[in-house]
């Protein structure tokens, strides 16, 4: 029997935010919309423009359709996949070089050329276990080392490689929105794009890590300063067949869903791109290697395991409060 995760589970980015009280004249906006195949929600206080919600929607929509989307005809990534090469502007070149760094440092656990493999699993549609020969063929055309950035051009050295920003695009969107909100002089904002959240402004924020076993509660609450927080969880998109769960975060070595003993990896970083990419990478790597990878990028990672343990590094500058029964905190 197949069971597909509900939209509600996908949306469950699990964000709580504590807003400071600003004077009554400070404009406040609450908004939500659908973009990048996910739900976006925002709360913003302050800012010069009267059209902040519309502008945030336009920034994320444009980033997707002009640059990151694999399916929007004419986007940068669409053209790169179609033609095997494309000329990036400085911003896009920077995304590629930072993501290539995450690919390298993670030993390939994060791989942004895994598009053909993800397509076979089809988690965005009706997912199923791929034919093993097709999977092996798609895997043979993936590998981050097949992307070359030289002479102002990005080239796929294997024309069948398929670049996919599915694991980092939502974080990149947060970085773009943050630049906009800073320029606006916004005082405080919480913007959630799927499982990635931007917390922006002075003072503390409280963010919930979703209880991966279901129910409305959070597994834990984190108290953090301004940052981006991304969670990759095997409960977000999955199906079950013959009693086994198959989820959407793939191990690039096998082409199958990663089995590292964790149910979710939550990464906190100043950079949305890094929080998003590293949460996927840390999920694939599991606890010990994931801690090392996060350290390399000055980020913090918190894991929830299948046994209900919440693993974090001792001395992490983030306050963690357990929020539900059945979880235990394990510090390293
Ligand atoms: P996230 O929810 O951010 O962890 O991203 C998961 C999405 O990234 C999947 O739906 C795939 O499109 C893609 N993906 C899956 N596995 C990987 C991987 N190991 N490295 C990079 N992208 C991946
Ligand atoms: Mg990610």
């Amino acid at each position: 029997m197949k069971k597909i995760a509900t939209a509600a589970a996908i949306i469950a980015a699990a964000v709580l935010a504590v807003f400071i009280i600003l004077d009554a004249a400070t404009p406040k906006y609450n908004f939500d919309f659908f973009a990048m195949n996910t739900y976006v929600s925002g709360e913003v206080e302050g800012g010069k423009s009267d059209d902040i919600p519309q502008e945030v929607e336009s920034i994320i929509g444009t980033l997707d359709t002009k640059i990151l989307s694999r399916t929007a005809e004419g986007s940068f990534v669409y053209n790169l996949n179609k033609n095997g090469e494309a000329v990036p502007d400085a911003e896009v070149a920077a995304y590629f070089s930072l993501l290539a760094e995450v690919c390298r440092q993670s030993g390939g656990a994060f791989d942004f050329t895994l598009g053909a493999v993800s397509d076979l699993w089809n988690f965005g549609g009706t997912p199923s276990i791929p034919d093993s020969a097709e999977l092996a063929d798609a895997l043979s055309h993936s590998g981050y080392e097949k992307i070359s950035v030289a002479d102002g051009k990005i080239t796929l050295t294997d024309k069948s490689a398929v670049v996919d920003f599915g694991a980092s695009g939502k974080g990149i969107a947060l970085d773009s929105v943050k630049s906009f909100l800073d320029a606006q002089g916004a005082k405080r904002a919480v913007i959630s794009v799927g499982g990635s959240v931007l917390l922006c402004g002075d003072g503390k924020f409280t963010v919930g890590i979703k209880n991966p076993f279901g129910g409305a509660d959070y597994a834990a609450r984190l108290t953090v300063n301004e940052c981006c927080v991304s969670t990759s969880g095997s409960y977000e998109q999955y199906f079950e067949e013959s009693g086994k769960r198959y989820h959407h975060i793939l191990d690039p070595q096998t082409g199958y869903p990663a089995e590292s003993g964790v149910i979710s990896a939550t990464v906190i970083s100043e950079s949305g791109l890094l929080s998003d990419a590293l949460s996927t990478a840390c999920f694939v790597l599991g606890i010990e290697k994931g801690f090392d990878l996060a350290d390399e990028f000055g980020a913090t990672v918190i894991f929830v395991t299948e046994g209900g343990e919440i693993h974090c590094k001792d001395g992490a500058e983030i306050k963690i409060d357990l929020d539900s029964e059945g979880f235990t905190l394990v510090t390293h």
Side-chain angles (χ1 to χ4, degrees):
M1 207 210 35
K2 291 185 180 181
K3 196 167 126 209
I4 298 170
T6 61
I10 298 167
I11 309 164
V15 181
L16 301 171
V18 180
F19 265 56
I20 52 173
I21 298 178
L22 299 170
D23 64 87
T26 304
K28 296 185 181 63
Y29 308 91
N30 278 285
F31 51 92
D32 46 68
F33 54 88
F34 196 79
M36 291 188 149
N37 292 323
T38 192
Y39 290 91
V40 179
S41 67
E43 292 180 46
V44 177
E45 295 195 15
K48 288 180 282 208
S49 166
D50 292 334
D51 298 325
I52 288 204
Q54 295 77 0
E55 297 202 39
V56 169
E57 185 164 358
S58 159
I59 287 166
I60 296 177
T62 305
L63 177 72
D64 194 35
T65 53
K66 297 272 185 267
I67 300 174
L68 303 181
S69 169
R70 245 175 354 110
T71 51
E73 218 166 304
S75 81
F76 181 86
V77 169
Y78 180 95
N79 287 339
L80 176 62
N81 286 334
K82 184 163 167 250
N83 305 325
E85 60 178 43
V87 177
D89 63 18
E91 204 172 321
V92 173
Y95 303 154
F96 273 82
S97 53
L98 193 48
L99 288 174
E101 195 55 28
V102 176
C103 291
R104 272 193 294 277
Q105 299 274 5
S106 68
F110 179 86
D111 191 331
F112 62 158
T113 66
L114 219 50
V117 177
S118 291
D119 281 348
L120 289 176
W121 286 94
N122 194 21
F123 281 98
T126 306
S128 61
I129 302 170
D131 171 77
S132 56
E134 282 180 346
L135 191 60
D137 184 57
L139 257 188
S140 75
H141 294 295
S142 71
Y144 66 92
E145 62 292 337
K146 290 175 174 149
I147 294 188
S148 114
V149 185
D151 304 327
K153 208 161 67 175
I154 297 179
T155 308
L156 302 181
T157 55
D158 178 338
K159 302 292 177 235
S160 301
V162 179
V163 171
D164 171 26
F165 274 65
S168 57
K170 297 171 181 75
I172 293 172
L174 297 184
D175 291 333
S176 299
V177 171
K178 168 95 168 61
S179 301
F180 164 71
L181 292 174
D182 284 347
Q184 281 290 315
K187 292 204 164 47
R188 203 162 163 92
V190 176
I191 310 285
S192 159
V193 185
S196 288
V197 186
L198 166 69
L199 305 158
C200 176
D202 295 334
K204 298 287 180 190
F205 296 82
T206 304
V207 184
I209 296 184
K210 186 176 153 51
N211 178 347
F213 304 115
D217 292 333
Y218 299 101
R221 287 168 199 250
L222 312 178
T223 306
V224 295
N225 293 321
E226 176 172 279
C227 65
C228 293
V229 182
S230 297
T231 296
S232 290
S234 54
Y235 53 80
E236 287 166 347
Q237 295 181 44
Y238 65 89
F239 63 96
E240 284 173 5
E241 199 161 304
S242 308
K244 189 170 160 56
R245 180 181 285 202
Y246 296 86
H247 62 80
H248 69 306
I249 305 168
L250 304 173
D251 181 344
Q253 288 198 338
T254 63
Y256 281 84
E259 292 186 20
S260 59
V262 306
I263 291 195
S264 72
T266 296
V267 172
I268 299 143
S269 166
E270 277 174 31
S271 152
L273 180 151
L274 283 178
S275 69
D276 196 355
L278 290 174
S279 68
T280 308
C282 287
F283 184 100
V284 175
L285 287 173
I287 295 172
E288 295 299 339
K289 288 183 179 166
F291 279 142
D292 291 345
L293 180 69
D295 276 353
E296 295 282 336
F297 287 93
T300 299
V301 58
I302 295 155
F303 295 97
V304 181
T305 68
E306 286 159 3
E309 292 170 349
I310 298 176
H311 289 253
C312 63
K313 269 284 199 63
D314 196 15
E317 281 170 37
I318 288 140
K319 186 165 165 276
I320 304 178
D321 293 307
L322 295 185
D323 202 47
S324 298
E325 301 228 336
F327 290 97
T328 47
L329 197 59
V330 182
T331 46
H332 291 246

